Amino acid sequence: MALVLDGVAFGLQLALLATGLTLIYGLAGVLNLAHGQLVVAAAMVGAVALGAGAPVLLALGLAVVTAGAAAVLLDVTLLRPVYRLRGQARVLLSLLLTLGVAFAADGLLVHSFPFTRLNLSVATPSVELLGVTVRSASVVASLVAIVALGGLVVLLRTTRVGRAIRSLTQDEEGAQLCGVDPGRTRRLVFVLGGSMAGLVAVTQGLVSSVGATSGLDLTIFALIVTVVGGLGRVSGAVVAGVLLGVVHAVAAFHIGTVLTFVILLVAAIVVILVRPSGILGGAGS
Amino acid sequence: MLTVEGLRVAYGDIEVVHGLDLEVAAGEAVALIGSNGAGKTAALRAVAGLEPGCSGRVRLAGEEITGLPAHALARRGLVYVPAERRLFGAMTVRENLVLGAHPERPDRDRLARVVELFPRLAERRSQPAGTLSGGEQQMVAVGRALMRRPRLLLLDEPSTGLAPVLVEQVYAAFARLREAEALTVLVAEQQVPAALQLADRAYVLEDGRIQLTGTADELTDDPRVRRAYLGLT
């Protein structure tokens, strides 16, 4: 039980990480390989602000805003040529461009903040949950993730803007014909996806810590979850995140941390073989 | 309502519409007829703002709209219904309809009115649009366009993929709409008899050029039109 709870907590972080990536992919056709670096950039800004004596909430707010702003900056600058292409050509060019951004950002972040880590693990008391003792930091991180994911789902399902986002994800031209502004909606989705990445910096800072070199691992985690959940599907990313989180926790306990990445990848391959369009199957969002 | 002057559309190096002039007056229904590949779709897409590379002048109610993107034109009331319909297949019929008036708040009265025009949609309201039959999908596509109370409705091959009896039904609905809402329509169509029955005037497009123009009655009696498009002698 403790393992499952641990796994769900980790899985919620994975879900938060992957929804940002999958939301942007679904709408813009851009698979952002610098997604992990968005988390790291947010973490570094948060850590520096905390180090300078800023109040915790302000520092974390700054962290989230940084990631959202960095994402939208990427959308309106480097990614511009990408949107002239359609379909697979767009995905390919976006992969190349964001891979370059990931390398450059990684170098810059590691060079600028070699010893900085965002660590919010203030002395947190443990609490009893379902008969198991868990760290309250982990509970808080999970609650943040649940609120953010729930908020995103409500936004997508019930608001006009959410409907516009879903329409663009399904049929870009059809959405334009309905008066949906693709550029504006895309910028909004980059802000949303980037902010979700910023929140991952916060929640990861709560349960462990985020350093300058974490970017690549985070991107890989996000990619695995996104693919298992079905590219572009928010609900799939949430389910896949929690599932892989539990697999990760169980594997880490019974087999050892060395092999957990391998086991995650095997789990991902099995899901993709059985359900090529993602864990929930079918098409669309 | 709509004035098009010297419209040219090219796909890559190949020009498919060579300087089209066309006019649609307020309240009028105009048909653009021609065979497959004549350039009808390219012309409509260009007017709707979906061909950024096109050249020429387009005005809507006297206002210059050349080069405006599709979403801006839709918001101005120039609404295009493509032959492939472009519905949101995973979203419900109701959501598809409501999106037609984006970014306006969903208007219940208007929704009720559109559903009244196509009663079939009432039954299908909560169903994903992708599960509907071809005829029903056409109703959703037209209904979605009507949600905005369009000033000008551009219809591209509304008969695509429909059985003859459904083509008749769809065109009957257009005729009713013209009466009820004084709708201004430009319809591109290969099913020439249906289009000529609906339209006041028509243009015959061949190889990207207007070959012939006149009232629907004149063209119905024209020997060239009868031979080429009506299958009569």
Side-chain angles (χ1 to χ4, degrees):
Chain A
M1 196 62 209
L3 266 185
V4 173
L5 274 187
D6 259 2
V8 170
F10 180 59
L12 283 168
Q13 314 305 313
L14 288 181
L16 196 57
L17 183 66
T19 42
L21 186 75
T22 211
L23 192 63
I24 290 173
Y25 176 80
L27 186 123
V30 167
L31 197 52
N32 178 17
L33 292 182
H35 197 66
Q37 277 74 22
L38 289 176
V39 180
V40 173
M44 295 303 106
V45 167
V48 168
L50 280 178
V56 176
L57 280 181
L58 174 69
L60 300 184
L62 271 177
V64 173
V65 169
T66 300
V72 80
L73 188 69
L74 193 61
D75 173 51
V76 297
T77 56
L78 283 172
L79 287 174
R80 283 188 81 107
V82 171
Y83 302 124
R84 278 185 228 126
L85 305 175
R86 297 208 172 240
Q88 283 200 326
R90 184 190 283 190
V91 178
L92 273 178
L93 185 60
S94 79
L95 282 172
L96 287 175
L97 264 170
T98 56
L99 185 63
V101 171
F103 279 129
D106 228 29
L108 193 70
L109 287 164
V110 173
H111 177 77
S112 313
F113 307 100
F115 307 113
T116 311
R117 292 191 83 81
L118 179 67
N119 192 336
L120 304 166
S121 52
V122 279
T124 50
S126 295
V127 291
E128 285 272 315
L129 193 67
L130 299 176
V132 183
T133 314
V134 287
R135 293 167 55 209
S136 56
S138 177
V139 175
V140 173
S142 297
L143 284 178
V144 169
I146 288 170
V147 168
L149 292 169
L152 182 69
V153 169
V154 168
L155 176 88
L156 288 177
R157 291 282 143 208
T158 65
T159 67
R160 266 178 283 167
V161 129
R163 201 154 38 215
I165 291 174
R166 283 186 293 136
S167 74
L168 264 178
T169 306
Q170 286 184 38
D171 192 318
E172 188 166 328
E173 203 168 286
Q176 283 173 274
L177 295 175
C178 288
V180 175
D181 182 341
R184 223 188 102 159
T185 314
R186 202 177 57 225
R187 288 192 289 281
L188 177 75
V189 158
F190 268 84
V191 170
L192 275 175
S195 305
M196 308 281 284
L199 272 182
V200 172
V202 174
T203 57
Q204 275 298 298
L206 274 167
V207 292
S208 57
S209 71
V210 185
T213 53
S214 312
L216 183 62
D217 282 356
L218 287 165
T219 302
I220 292 174
F221 269 125
L223 282 174
I224 295 173
V225 176
T226 301
V227 170
V228 170
L231 278 166
R233 302 194 60 179
V234 171
S235 46
V238 175
V239 174
V242 174
L243 185 79
L244 290 178
V246 174
V247 169
H248 184 268
V250 172
F253 183 78
H254 286 292
I255 301 165
T257 40
V258 190
L259 282 177
T260 47
F261 235 147
V262 177
I263 289 163
L264 272 190
L265 282 169
V266 170
I269 290 167
V270 170
V271 172
I272 293 161
L273 284 176
V274 181
R275 315 203 69 150
S277 54
I279 201 159
L280 299 180
S285 62
Chain B
M1 182 59 74
L2 178 77
T3 316
V4 178
E5 284 168 17
L7 181 72
R8 290 175 182 275
V9 188
Y11 293 125
D13 291 334
I14 302 159
E15 193 177 83
V16 291
V17 177
H18 319 286
L20 179 80
D21 297 315
L22 182 152
E23 219 167 310
V24 184
E28 199 179 25
V30 173
L32 190 58
I33 58 183
S35 50
N36 200 5
K40 303 186 300 294
T41 296
L44 285 196
R45 283 178 58 86
V47 171
L50 290 169
E51 299 294 343
C54 70
S55 65
R57 282 189 76 189
V58 186
R59 272 171 297 163
L60 180 69
E63 191 185 1
E64 183 85 35
I65 57 164
T66 315
L68 286 180
H71 68 89
L73 293 176
R75 289 180 187 193
R76 274 161 208 253
L78 188 160
V79 183
Y80 172 53
V81 181
E84 42 324 344
R85 286 148 206 166
R86 298 237 171 232
L87 299 182
F88 311 113
M91 293 164 80
T92 63
V93 167
R94 189 179 178 281
E95 281 189 302
N96 269 275
L97 292 175
V98 165
L99 264 162
H102 185 85
E104 302 299 320
R105 201 172 281 284
D107 177 345
R108 276 168 197 285
D109 296 344
R110 188 62 183 166
L111 189 62
R113 170 91 186 99
V114 168
V115 172
E116 191 186 303
L117 277 163
F118 302 110
R120 261 324 255 282
L121 299 186
E123 301 160 35
R124 301 271 184 254
R125 192 176 271 255
S126 310
Q127 224 169 296
T131 62
L132 267 54
S133 72
E136 290 166 342
Q137 291 198 10
Q138 184 63 48
M139 292 176 200
V140 178
V142 174
R144 187 173 77 177
L146 290 176
M147 284 298 291
R148 196 180 289 284
R149 298 187 171 84
R151 289 203 277 172
L152 170 67
L153 190 60
L154 299 181
L155 298 166
D156 190 10
E157 305 269 355
S159 65
T160 303
L162 298 187
V165 56
L166 279 174
V167 175
E168 257 176 58
Q169 278 179 24
V170 164
Y171 271 90
F174 293 150
R176 279 204 310 278
L177 272 172
R178 283 197 64 200
E179 267 178 48
E181 313 222 333
L183 205 59
T184 309
V185 184
L186 175 60
V187 55
E189 188 57 274
Q190 257 177 288
Q191 302 268 342
V192 175
L196 284 183
Q197 218 172 7
L198 175 77
D200 305 310
R201 288 190 304 118
Y203 295 87
V204 178
L205 192 66
E206 269 170 30
D207 295 325
R209 286 191 180 82
I210 301 283
Q211 297 296 343
L212 206 58
T213 177
T215 66
D217 293 339
E218 283 166 14
L219 289 182
T220 308
D221 294 335
D222 190 284
R224 288 165 291 179
V225 173
R226 290 172 75 87
R227 226 182 5 257
Y229 300 108
L230 299 178
L232 306 166
T233 48

